Amino acid sequence: MPPTSSTKSPYPKTSPSLLKSPTETELRIKGIMEKLDQLIPPRPFTHVSSTNSATHSKATLLSPQDTYCRGDQLDVLLEVRDHLGRRKEYGGDFLRARMSSPALKAGALGKVTDFNNGTYLVSFTLFWEGRVSLSLLLILPSEGVSALWRARNQGYDRVIFTGQFASGTSHVNTDRALVLNSSAELCENLDTRVQEFYFLTSTHTL
């Protein structure tokens, strides 16, 4: 049978006056989650052909000029199409726009504006002189973003990681989780900075 140990926490106890009302915290979390749900609506798909295709998508440089001045803005209109050549009717894709200058070893990110109809405006500010290279990378299509968000909400209780705690010369490794799901005796740990609770088993092997 593994020995039972009890160690004194090196962190000072938090005054009750510094803790926010659980109701207030829960309402804030609920409001954030509702906003995220609105930003990441369900995007079900039955076949990969209905997802983004770089081959069929089109990027157009708006108001092109022969030369630009430092500080000018460069705008690119992106029309996203699927593998059948149909323009997407919604947004939500995770895109990363980047401008770089290999000669100067410099780089900067572009601003992506989602019109929520399959088109995006990508804006770059020209910070330096000389030739630049532009790239627009699709990290995840909106269908993938929606699937990950759905999996995250459905499988939150499956998030488990290992935490290490030290007190003097004693070190303890224990499983930590974000959802309370145990019949064992538990210790409660509160991170007052973000008002997050963690629950730890009180019996460990040293």
Side-chain angles (χ1 to χ4, degrees):
M1 177 180 295
T4 300
S5 65
S6 176
T7 57
K8 184 178 180 181
S9 170
Y11 303 103
K13 292 185 177 180
T14 303
S15 171
S17 61
L18 297 179
L19 299 179
K20 296 183 178 179
S21 167
T23 303
E24 178 186 349
T25 301
E26 291 171 1
L27 289 175
R28 289 182 60 191
I29 294 175
K30 181 180 178 181
I32 293 172
M33 299 299 287
E34 288 177 349
K35 289 182 179 179
L36 287 174
D37 283 334
Q38 294 173 1
L39 292 173
I40 312 176
R43 300 294 186 200
F45 65 99
T46 57
H47 196 271
V48 69
S49 62
S50 62
T51 62
N52 300 27
S53 167
T55 302
H56 292 90
S57 298
K58 181 181 180 182
T60 304
L61 179 62
L62 301 180
S63 303
Q65 303 172 204
D66 293 334
T67 59
Y68 293 85
C69 297
R70 187 169 58 181
D72 284 351
Q73 181 169 298
L74 199 65
D75 292 324
V76 177
L77 181 66
L78 175 66
E79 296 181 4
V80 178
R81 297 179 181 273
D82 63 19
H83 289 268
L84 299 178
R86 302 170 300 191
R87 201 181 87 174
K88 301 289 286 292
E89 297 180 352
Y90 49 83
D93 300 303
F94 182 13
L95 302 169
R96 178 173 295 169
R98 188 172 185 271
M99 175 180 66
S100 62
S101 171
L104 298 176
K105 297 182 179 180
L109 294 178
K111 177 184 177 182
V112 178
T113 302
D114 186 352
F115 294 120
N116 295 309
N117 61 1
T119 62
Y120 299 83
L121 178 65
V122 186
S123 302
F124 299 93
T125 299
L126 303 176
F127 293 110
W128 53 80
E129 298 178 357
R131 297 177 64 88
V132 298
S133 297
L134 306 179
S135 66
L136 188 56
L137 181 64
L138 173 66
I139 306 297
L140 269 180
S142 54
E143 294 83 4
V145 173
S146 177
L148 286 178
W149 180 245
R150 185 172 62 253
R152 179 264 183 207
N153 287 337
Q154 293 176 348
Y156 204 55
D157 59 335
R158 297 182 178 88
V159 179
I160 299 175
F161 54 97
T162 301
Q164 183 180 86
F165 301 86
S167 178
T169 58
S170 298
H171 296 268
V172 173
N173 291 327
T174 183
D175 289 339
R176 306 183 71 180
L178 302 176
V179 174
L180 179 60
N181 184 20
S182 175
S183 58
E185 184 180 355
L186 301 174
C187 297
E188 183 179 85
N189 179 32
L190 170 65
D191 187 337
T192 57
R193 296 169 301 175
V194 294
Q195 293 292 304
E196 286 285 352
F197 284 93
Y198 295 93
F199 298 92
L200 316 172
T201 58
S202 60
T203 301
H204 311 291
T205 300
L206 293 177

